[in-house]
Amino acid sequence: FLTYYSLTPEKSFSRTSLSRSDFLVLARRYAQMLKTKNVCKGTRVVHLFNGNTLHDFALRLASVLLGSVPVTVNWGADSLDRILYKQRKTGAELVVVDSNSAEAFDVKEIGAKSG
């Protein structure tokens, strides 16, 4: 169903393949995680991923399953100010980041500026 290729630190490709069932299990795990953060139908959540990743795709499906609204970031073009604008304009209550995004953007700065 889904084969995802990523670049390793050694500059080689890593391949991950998931069946539909495996992908749905992953998305449901993310949905459960979002529920623990009080995400429900209509809740807006910023997806701050530094690239299109397998986990980003699963999190988007989790959002659909819960009826929440994913607020996506153009990781190649959006500046910190643009991300903050999207967060404020949509009223997003949660920002989900991956480890690469945490390194690329100062996540503490996002929290401080958004409040």
Side-chain angles (χ1 to χ4, degrees):
F1 166 70
L2 180 80
T3 300
Y4 176 75
Y5 296 90
S6 59
L7 188 61
T8 68
E10 296 80 28
K11 303 296 183 204
S12 62
F13 286 102
S14 170
R15 182 179 124 165
T16 304
S17 294
L18 294 178
S19 67
R20 286 178 175 83
S21 176
D22 292 337
F23 187 69
L24 183 57
V25 166
L26 181 60
R28 286 181 173 162
R29 285 185 188 152
Y30 278 119
Q32 283 302 115
M33 181 269 307
L34 290 171
K35 280 184 180 180
T36 67
K37 301 297 181 189
N38 299 316
V39 173
C40 58
K41 184 176 181 179
T43 305
R44 284 136 179 92
V45 179
V46 175
H47 295 200
L48 181 54
F49 285 76
N50 195 13
N52 294 323
T53 69
L54 178 63
H55 298 282
D56 182 23
F57 303 144
L59 184 63
R60 289 176 194 227
L61 178 55
S63 294
V64 169
L65 294 172
L66 292 175
S68 65
V69 180
V71 178
T72 58
V73 171
N74 183 338
W75 54 271
D78 285 352
S79 66
L80 178 57
D81 287 337
R82 180 75 178 159
I83 295 166
L84 290 169
Y85 170 80
K86 288 180 176 185
Q87 184 270 327
R88 285 190 204 107
K89 191 72 172 172
T90 62
E93 300 174 30
L94 181 69
V95 177
V96 179
V97 300
D98 66 353
S99 59
N100 292 332
S101 296
E103 293 172 11
F105 297 98
D106 186 345
V107 176
K108 290 179 184 174
E109 185 177 356
I110 291 172
K113 287 186 174 184
S114 68

